[in-house]
Amino acid sequence: MARKEITYYEVPDKYWYRIHFVRPRFKSHIESVLLYMANECCRIPKCSCEEYNKRYFNAIKMFPGNIDMADKTLHNWRTEIPALFGFYKEDKEKDTTETSKMAIFLHENQDLTQFLRLFLVSFQFPGGHMKPQDLKDIINNGIRFKPSRTIIQVLMAGNKLLSEAKNEKEMSLSAEEATYCIFNDTRVTSGKVAPNQIAQTILDNRKNKVKYYNPKDPKSLSLTGKARSKGDMTRYAGDILDYMEIANLLDKHNGYYSMKGNELSALTAFANDPSWFGGYESFYDKETIEINELSKVEPLWFEYVNKSMKPDLFKTDIRSIIGQGEDIDVVFEDRIKDVVTSDSRTNKDIGNLGEAIVCSHEKMRLKINGYEEFIKLVQIVDSPTYHPGFDIDSFEADGTKDHRYIEVKTTVSKQRIQMYGFHMSPNEWSVAGTIKEHYCIYRLMLSEKEKVLFVLRNPVALYKSDRIEAEPRNGMEITFSTEYFEPTKLLTWEK
């Protein structure tokens, strides 16, 4: 039997540029290292460059497990942390070094998720984290690229394409796909290709079983002429994807990254982020770029990054800013009757109606329980471009500020119905397993004469304890019995 020929994805030579940047040797335990080093840097006062460097190097050596590490590796740490994360500022003319706002911010807030989000939102190409010669190459190739923003835009565009194709799957990216279809293609990194085109290319490649890593491709060769490994080829895109996972922006399953189910506000902020460090813009128009001129921009870059450390960004619940500003969406009985009795109703009509009814119910539940300050923060979050794995973001109203994430499953019929089954998509089941006790299914059954609501909290745990049945079928087919569950009184909004 003839061997089936492998089709590889090709980026034309004139558009191929392998983006690379500083990679920390401590990536496998980056959380611990960054928190430790931020703390240690804050213990070093402003002093001479030599004294700061001596104390800084000693702090690295005292990190657990480093005492017997070779000096060469420790010195790599010493250069990688400030190059990528800017933990100190060095002024060689004045012979002084001082701890930066970035390190102080992380030390004072002890919130690595927020810190990495702020780091990622400012991280761009070109940037002062690169060597001058690499900056020159980036500029000569016309690259203006913010990796995290582009990745999220591609994932959102992919979700929209899948939704239009009636596909319930969530858009995801592998490090290989991100490397070849985004990072190493100057058509993308220079902003000439729209996110929906990138997403469509990735989906088409999957459909056609196109491969990416080809060790025989000259683009895979190192400077010594040997083929780079797949891991080496994809390491830089993989780093950014991993940082985004640690920053709670992405989920990772079997090597594929998708948007975090309950982080709509942060993801939207990244996708729409207009910020850009323009310190290198004047070099794009020059025929000849002097390396020493590029070096002069580096302090301005780190000043820009340090100013990006804004305590309220990614910490305040942005839902209070971008959420529903209007009054409660009251669902009138005739509106329900119209949908129930209409012969032309669509699944979208039914879903929208169910979400509106539950949204009204949630707001009244919060009011009854004395949590009126949360009422305007309850919102329907599902959209054509973003499927977080639930429909409504509400609150528990139990003495905490904990959110309640609600997936609404609505069925309508002219006559009274007793239908205790529903389908959960793979993404919904996955998000339910992640959120656990704060994830609820609201099973809503509507007829012309009654509305019946069942609340199933933490469906994955219910399945594991045999209180519901679940059969895998492109997600899970769920059935439950009134033996274990009683209807919940459905509330109607009243001022």
Side-chain angles (χ1 to χ4, degrees), residues 1 6 98 122 145 159 209 282 304 348 352 354 430 444:
M1 181 181 292
I6 298 174
E98 62 181 313
S122 64
F145 178 47
N159 278 339
K209 302 188 183 303
S282 62
Y304 166 79
K348 189 174 187 299
N352 289 345
S430 173
L444 183 62

Side-chain angles (χ1 to χ4, degrees), residues 153-159 161 171-173 181-182 193-206:
Q153 288 175 342
V154 170
L155 290 171
M156 286 184 169
N159 278 339
L161 290 170
M171 182 65 181
S172 60
L173 273 176
C181 298
I182 300 176
V193 180
N196 64 314
Q197 294 174 278
I198 303 167
Q200 188 64 64
T201 296
I202 292 168
L203 292 172
D204 288 344
N205 286 349
R206 291 180 187 175

